[in-house]
Amino acid sequence: MKRKIFLWMLCLPLVLAFTSCKDDDDNDDTWRNTNEAAFNAVATSTEYQAVTTPEGPGTIYKKVIKSGVGTEKPIFTSTTKVFYKGMYYDKTTVFDPGTSVTGVPVTMPVYTGSGGVIAGMSIALQNMVVGDKWEIWIPWDLGYGSVGKSPIPGYTTLVFEVELLSIDQYPYENK
């Protein structure tokens, strides 16, 4: 009898762990499905246009709020000054107020990876001219992926309002 109780006590934490993982998996699946449905609705909307870069890695969607002037666009090695705000697909939940609170532009690189921006933001910036203000929709795989980045859960479709104010480094400047 003592042996059965001992075995049960050893197994109980594992059972609880697997049970709680199942709930998390269901929540992840629901969140992912909801976010993908929102992104797909934008992708099929006539209000939004697909945006890519020649080298990939995927497609984001933009709605032009304001058009800029000129033809010069940032390249992968550029740095830019922008106003931005980051939201979830509902466009009411702000995960990053960005410059909407301070009103002070931020310097943003165009490259991805360590110290850079997410792939979807890089795609957007490389297609903008100074003065452009866009609402951009970034699928989770061009954002923070399946893992997320606190406070943003994995599988999150990201929505940003971005205004390109200047290209500070095009393509290289010695400072």
Side-chain angles (χ1 to χ4, degrees), residues 8 11 28 35 67 80 87 99 104 123 143:
W8 176 246
C11 293
D28 283 351
N35 276 267
S67 293
T80 62
M87 303 160 281
T99 54
V104 177
I123 292 168

Side-chain angles (χ1 to χ4, degrees), residues 4-18:
K4 285 183 181 179
I5 292 173
F6 178 73
L7 288 173
W8 176 246
M9 290 178 71
L10 281 176
C11 293
L12 184 60
L14 292 173
V15 170
L16 292 174
F18 284 119

Side-chain angles (χ1 to χ4, degrees), residues 48-76:
Y48 294 85
Q49 302 165 316
V51 180
T52 60
T53 56
E55 60 278 349
T59 303
I60 64 167
Y61 286 84
K62 72 171 181 180
K63 177 167 70 173
V64 176
I65 298 169
K66 181 178 83 171
S67 293
V69 295
T71 57
E72 188 176 275
K73 297 177 181 178
I75 60 174
F76 196 71

